[in-house]
Amino acid sequence: MNIGIIGAGAMAQTLAYHINRAGHDVMLSNSRGPESLVSIGQALKCRTGTVLQAAQFGDIVALAIPLWAFSAIDPAPFENKIVLDLLNYFPHRDGKIEILDRGETTTSEMVAKHFVGAKLIKAFNAITVDDLYRDPRPRGHQIRRALPIAGDDKTAKEQASLFINDVGFDVVDVGPLADGWKIERFRPAYCVAMDKETLFRTLADTSRGTRVPDGYWLKHRPITLV
Ligand SMILES: NC(=O)c1ccc[n+]([C@@H]2O[C@H](COP(=O)([O-])OP(=O)(O)OC[C@H]3O[C@@H](n4cnc5c(N)ncnc54)[C@H](OP(=O)(O)O)[C@@H]3O)[C@@H](O)[C@H]2O)c1
């Protein structure tokens, strides 16, 4: 499978490393163009291209850019594609977004509104880049970490789940994009390493009033991966 990645920073490079290991082909891109990505492409042994080339290349396309940046991207080449949305909201980086602060929408619903016609799946949001590097385990491994996903398209969710399994994680379906708040910052499932059963239970116990302090994941790690 071909995976295009919009972004070439920490998350994009870490994901590219595991995608390569899983036997898929990957292309990274950024706003400055492939000439700025030569050494990264060589180090990761992956393709590099423009945002348009990465979008066209991917059977699945991952958005791995800051939240503030998505609205400047032309949505046309993403139409009908499975698009993984990694974006999280950090007011100090992205600016204050009142509708998110008031809980009237979720980051992924905002992104989906922009990428009209794309099959958007919220994925890889609830894992830190360090964990994304070290936690993948092959299918059938004794203990595996599970990652939550949300999305409105059932078939796209199934395909995204297969891909995430290839990368090295079990998957738990949170529900539609509108339920994406359950895995955003300050929720118990955000960035905490759990197996499938624990994540499933944690999500079932998460209501609008369930909040945890920032950095909760640093002190809570229900699974130990071997
Ligand atoms: N780091 C984590 O632990 C973590 C975990 C889960 C989710 N996330 C989320 O994942 C996203 C990426 O995080 P990151 O840590 O990888 O960020 P990062 O290291 O700052 O990388 C961001 C990348 O986006 C590129 N970019 C910015 N604007 C762009 C545009 N208009 N078109 C194409 N590329 C653009 C940047 O390259 P240029 O500036 O050269 O274009 C850079 O390569 C963020 O939304 C973050 O909140 C991060």
Side-chain angles (χ1 to χ4, degrees):
M1 203 158 41
N2 289 344
I3 313 296
I5 304 187
I6 313 305
M11 288 298 278
Q13 290 183 36
T14 308
L15 205 48
Y17 169 77
H18 288 296
I19 292 169
N20 261 342
R21 282 165 60 106
H24 299 301
D25 224 346
V26 59
M27 183 186 287
L28 293 175
S29 65
N30 65 3
S31 67
R32 289 173 296 146
E35 55 286 351
S36 68
L37 293 172
V38 173
S39 56
I40 291 174
Q42 282 168 352
L44 286 170
K45 296 188 178 58
C46 71
R47 297 166 194 257
T48 55
T50 62
V51 168
L52 175 61
Q53 285 167 337
Q56 289 172 336
F57 174 77
D59 301 307
I60 292 179
V61 185
L63 298 173
I65 58 177
L67 185 68
W68 60 260
F70 79 82
S71 57
I73 293 179
D74 176 10
F78 297 80
E79 216 178 320
N80 295 318
K81 299 257 181 186
I82 296 174
V83 175
L84 305 184
D85 159 26
L86 279 71
L87 314 194
N88 286 327
Y89 169 45
F90 289 91
H92 67 272
R93 179 194 66 190
D94 303 314
K96 215 168 150 42
I97 303 172
E98 302 279 349
I99 48 172
L100 290 178
D101 293 336
R102 288 196 298 268
E104 288 168 19
T105 190
T106 60
T107 56
S108 291
E109 287 173 294
M110 282 174 49
V111 177
K113 256 191 188 165
H114 177 74
F115 288 95
V116 179
K119 298 164 195 165
L120 199 95
I121 308 291
K122 184 177 184 70
F124 296 110
N125 316 74
I127 183 165
T128 65
V129 69
D130 291 344
D131 283 0
L132 182 61
Y133 178 70
R134 65 183 173 206
D135 283 356
R137 294 292 184 276
R139 279 186 178 82
H141 196 268
Q142 184 187 355
I143 303 174
R144 273 184 121 201
R145 180 167 174 167
L147 295 184
I149 64 166
D152 297 339
D153 185 304
K154 187 172 172 283
T155 311
K157 265 204 274 205
E158 284 164 4
Q159 286 175 265
S161 298
L162 287 174
F163 167 67
I164 295 167
N165 260 282
D166 286 351
V167 171
F169 299 97
D170 286 338
V171 175
V172 172
D173 183 0
V174 175
L177 291 180
D179 284 348
W181 59 268
K182 290 186 182 176
I183 55 173
E184 288 181 352
R185 289 178 69 205
F186 309 112
R187 305 295 181 180
Y190 179 75
C191 292
V192 176
M194 302 182 202
D195 63 14
K196 210 169 175 171
E197 289 69 30
T198 314
L199 178 55
F200 189 80
R201 263 189 284 116
T202 302
L203 290 167
D205 290 343
T206 301
S207 67
R208 284 280 185 186
T210 316
R211 294 182 81 81
V212 296
D214 210 11
Y216 178 76
W217 65 88
L218 296 169
K219 292 183 184 149
H220 292 79
R221 199 175 160 91
I223 55 166
T224 304
L225 294 166
V226 285

